[in-house]
Amino acid sequence: MPQPELERLLAEIHEQPDVVQRLLDRQVGAVRDAASVFRQRQPAAIVLVARGSSDNAAVYGRYLFEVCNRQLTSLAAPSGLTLYGRGPRLDQTVVIGVSQSGQGEDVVAYVREARRQGAATIAIVNDETSPLAEAAERVLGCLAGPELSIPATKTVTSQMTLLGMLSAVLDDPNAGATRLKGLPAAMRGALELRTAASALARQLASTSLGSVIGRGFGFPPALEIALKLKETSYTRAEPFSAADFLHGPVAVVEPNYSALLIDVGGRSSQAALELAAAISQRGGRPGFLRAGDVSPLPDDDELPNVSLNAPVDEPFAPIVALVLGQLFAVELALAMGLDPARPRGLHKVTSTR
Amino acid sequence: MPQPELERLLAEIHEQPDVVQRLLDRQVGAVRDAASVFRQRQPAAIVLVARGSSDNAAVYGRYLFEVCNRQLTSLAAPSGLTLYGRGPRLDQTVVIGVSQSGQGEDVVAYVREARRQGAATIAIVNDETSPLAEAAERVLGCLAGPELSIPATKTVTSQMTLLGMLSAVLDDPNAGATRLKGLPAAMRGALELRTAASALARQLASTSLGSVIGRGFGFPPALEIALKLKETSYTRAEPFSAADFLHGPVAVVEPNYSALLIDVGGRSSQAALELAAAISQRGGRPGFLRAGDVSPLPDDDELPNVSLNAPVDEPFAPIVALVLGQLFAVELALAMGLDPARPRGLHKVTSTR
């Protein structure tokens, strides 16, 4: 039986290397222009405002800006403004709204209010004719083309890529986006690992998948992969940073409990291995998604994993790891007999009052 | 059979009105002194740094400072500094470390680095002789006395109360903490509702409790209640803001799925009712914890709830709602035949490299 929604979701997942290549080819100028705002303003803080998958991209942007650019970065709680009518003073900030549709009312309201107060405003948005694009002074278009599947995929990696490009240009204006140039090939490499993702999914499908955990740059893709798992297979895996997981939630680990650990190389690798040990010690089962400059796992046969060694620095490897996570989410749903492209009761645009 | 750990946990929960009264009686001066730093510095942003339950108190502080004081507030990701050795520039900020023990290495390291950079630093901490208290310029002691139970209770509400007092003094230096004066009586009222909490727990114990959801000021207690449920009954209920829940995770709702909705009066009430409708519509089961200026529920008999009407404004009602959540967590564990005071594999101080 044909499954047109599933075919479409897989097609959108497979478009991602081309979308990222397009951004690297065509958006460096717009990114440089956005970066010039930072040099003019010397903002006291960057504020990222987003919802859903775009908010996970925003969390990624926060790690980039704080670690690679030493810019204090806050993730906005727009309900202060939209629910109570009182948000923070934003005149010394750069506010970046991140959205696929550019329609989310609270994100648009926040960016509009920030601009009214005198903040520099940037929209990272796929629909460049949307209210969010209208609200912001500068627009970085995702150039991802229409995304028709309900689970967002290519729009998320395109948002992450634009944030990565912006961070790279802020760090070194001359180098531009060269540090990201290995991304499309690495993402193609990730897409070739569907069989391995399927094997991992079948291994974990018989367990109770309770969490998706990452440390440092491994945390933002953990957030987004956990959301994909909810949308595609109703798996209630909760995302955690490694530090927070060990601060209480580790109590829930028991035999049959499994956790998906995200390793993006560099400093995140050691943390993933330590978590795996802590989970195994309590009788739980760790599985790994690994992408970037990752070393072979000890006892490779024993620890279920999908691993892609690719020449992508740790700050940009989350974009590759997310591709593995998308494949894993699709395959887990299929292993459970579900249609990953047709989430119960979800529509593409969600508005929040 | 006596259960000394459970008795101790309940004793600590019952101490909370006295701890809060003590803070209102004795810490206004220290809070005023801390507030004076804000007037001298005019910080570009407040940065809160914490882990675990203290981080949930910090999220509460963020809503207070942004909504009531219009101060941009960021929740620190300390791993930028501790894992990668590069955190954001903090010299124009006030950095507030929040901790029970004051031992958490990453929180201490972040506050120390902030002070080195020239930030104003404040510790909100129960152990005033701890490394965190040493690291910060100013200390607001929680005066909660030793907390021996593993699930943190009185230290969390004391941290929240100090944050509430600081926000109130920043908003109106003359009024001091008078807006919080109804808290101890309201918390005593909450403690009288253990039977109702037990009834709600028994109603939900037969379902799969999947989420704890709040909107606006209802969100921070949702975070902390979800953590208490993990620690005491291994329930994998995930916390959500209402807006984020409707942006994807609502797909997991099915018959037998229940959600605990947090209503702290004011603007949070309508959102809780709308969520209940969305969850019921999908066959799921909503239950309510409600504290503050809350109206009677429509069809009171139909919607399982614990409700406390108390003269506490919405910004401070989360402290009262959390007491209801603590009782609910204890009762849910008991209803499931578990000992809520002895979480598997947890110790009191968690260190994070």
Side-chain angles (χ1 to χ4, degrees), chain B residues 20 22-29 31-32 35 60 64-65 158-171 176-177 180 183 316 319:
Chain B
V20 168
R22 192 180 301 142
L23 292 172
L24 295 174
D25 291 342
R26 287 173 39 191
Q27 290 294 56
V28 173
V31 167
R32 278 188 203 279
Y60 170 61
L64 285 170
F65 295 137
S158 66
Q159 292 164 347
M160 292 170 75
T161 300
L162 284 168
L163 289 162
M165 291 169 69
L166 181 55
S167 172
V169 169
L170 286 171
D171 188 42
L180 290 84
L183 275 178
F316 307 109
I319 301 170

Side-chain angles (χ1 to χ4, degrees), chain B residues 222-245:
Chain B
L223 284 174
E224 174 60 8
I225 292 165
L227 181 56
K228 288 306 103 170
L229 290 171
K230 285 193 185 69
E231 292 174 340
T232 56
S233 62
Y234 318 126
T235 303
R236 298 189 204 158
E238 181 171 347
F240 292 103
S241 79
D244 286 327
F245 186 73

Side-chain angles (χ1 to χ4, degrees), chain A residues 7 25 31 45 101 112 143 198 202 226 240 289 349:
Chain A
E7 294 302 318
D25 290 343
V31 167
S101 67
R112 197 172 279 150
L143 309 186
S198 171
R202 278 180 278 113
F240 293 102
L289 293 180
V349 174

